[in-house]
Amino acid sequence: MATYFDHSMLRSFFKACGQTLLLLSIVCTLPVHAAEEVTGITPALGVESTENEGADDTVVSNGEVVEPAAVLPEADPPPIITGQSTNNAQIETTPTPQKDNDIRQRINGIFSEIEGLQAVNVSVTQGVVTLTGETPNEKKAQQAINLTNRLTDVVTVEDRIDRTLDVQDNVTTVYQGLMAQGKTLIKALPLLLVGMVIFALVTWLGSWLSNRKKMWQRLTPNPFVAELLSQTVKVIFIIFGLILALSLIGAETILGTLLGGAGVIGIAVGFAVKDTIENYIASLMLSIRQPFRARDHIVINGQEGIVVRLTSRATILMTLDGNQLRIPNAEVFKGTILNYTKNPERRFTFELGVDANDDPLAAIKVGIDAIHTLDFVLEEPKAIAVITNVGDSNIVLEFQVWVDQSQTDFSKARSIAIRETKHALENAGFTLPEPIYRLRFNSKLERAFEHMQSSSGSSSATSDMTITPTTPEIVAKNLGDGMSVDDKDKQQAKARAKHILQGHDAKEILDARPNDKLMEKVEQEIAESSDETDLLNSNSPQE
């Protein structure tokens, strides 16, 4: 027989020599009666048996027959088991060679039908499958192991497959896969076109229904709800068209993937646009509740103005200064709303003080009579006045007056009412005192001040100090004249005011009608076209 030498045979030779020397040393040390036990040790060393059969003296090692003249081959290294059998059945006690042969034939048949596994060799011993040979990559090797593990009689799988990682093999496999997918796509193009046409038609139908604004407005008087319904119908038709198209091409699983991804993205986007969503919901509630109308004079959390419009994001006001104010609807919905227009009757108050020596009830009557002479003051509810406080030098009276703010400027009316009440009290002899501080000096100190004043008057320098003696003689002289210095000053002030108010522009000062300029600006803002839909509707019920 011819003998072949290669690198593997040399490794087998050296390993066999080492095992033979170890075996001989054990045999020499054992007693004669234990020589029979050596046969039980040889399998553990990788040598199955050594027998002499007539003239044919051969050595069998790992299933390979070696001529006597040839060097004993080295035993293969212990197999590396990378996978565990998926079979949960118990291992048979007495396996049969026929079953091993069946397993080998079955696996070879499977591998012959799979691209990339034809070069894998299979050997089966005692139900243990050993896979050798080559695969292009790790993916194919794992496929071979997984397929082998699925057989019922396989105990375990030994992975000895060499991953070549050959560029040509791997590129060829990928190329063939892409070509197969391309051919499949080309075959499916007519079906894809039909699916796209169906999706486009259903989407167009949804858009057409969504744009029928008059129809939705007839269904619900609220413009915001009508717009919400139209957009919902549009989205439903888009989803329905997508389902039809995917069902036609047999890709319903893609829809589940899209919906799952949309759900995750929706959660993330929901946290990011939390304030926007809150404003949107608040807009819906405000459009349904309608707490105010356009042109209403309202106060929202201290922000005062006239309502221009309510959009899906903010409430737009025109402040009393003529500026545009946008308040987020979430703040409006949660805030405190004061509506002056809903009840046009409005009350203003002001305080005046009379001298402590005067009768406060008489002063109240004089003030109320003067207030009722004003045209803008309402007869019902009637204007009243009450005593609120007694101070050190005066008695404080509070007047409460009602006006119709739709016909009267609130600030002007209050200003005119204060003026008329003050003049009426003064003309009736009531004193409106200011805080008084009395300083008492003896006669020597008063003469010293008089001397200082006379000295400064004779020089070029001027002095702002005025000394009014309050001796009994001077007080008696003033009383004899019947008029004090303060009374003379008041008469001069009234005469000056009368002269000024006789001018042709005085009527505007005394006119309490509201200014039309602000309402003109509001009407201009309302009339201006805006991309945002006004959610305020006079036909909707107001809470």
Side-chain angles (χ1 to χ4, degrees), residues 312-331:
S312 59
R313 288 175 293 179
T315 299
I316 302 176
L317 304 180
M318 177 70 70
T319 65
L320 302 184
D321 298 330
N323 300 318
Q324 188 183 84
L325 176 64
R326 299 176 65 94
I327 305 177
N329 285 335
E331 182 179 343

Side-chain angles (χ1 to χ4, degrees), residues 366 421-432 490 494:
V366 172
T421 305
K422 173 181 176 296
H423 286 176
L425 291 174
E426 290 177 343
N427 293 336
F430 292 94
T431 304
L432 301 162
K490 288 179 181 179
K494 289 180 180 180

Side-chain angles (χ1 to χ4, degrees), residues 139-150:
K139 180 179 179 181
K140 286 296 181 179
Q142 290 298 325
Q143 184 182 11
I145 295 172
N146 294 333
L147 289 173
T148 304
N149 272 322
R150 292 175 62 183

Side-chain angles (χ1 to χ4, degrees), residues 61 70 95 99 113 170 215 254 359 362 431 451 482 531:
S61 177
K99 188 169 292 186
E113 299 297 330
N170 287 279
M215 179 184 69
I254 298 178
D359 187 346
T431 304
H451 178 71
D531 296 335

Side-chain angles (χ1 to χ4, degrees), residues 9-27:
M9 294 182 66
L10 288 175
R11 287 195 302 269
S12 300
F13 168 72
F14 289 115
K15 187 170 183 179
C17 290
Q19 292 177 350
T20 304
L21 292 175
L22 178 61
L23 179 60
L24 291 175
S25 63
I26 295 174
V27 171

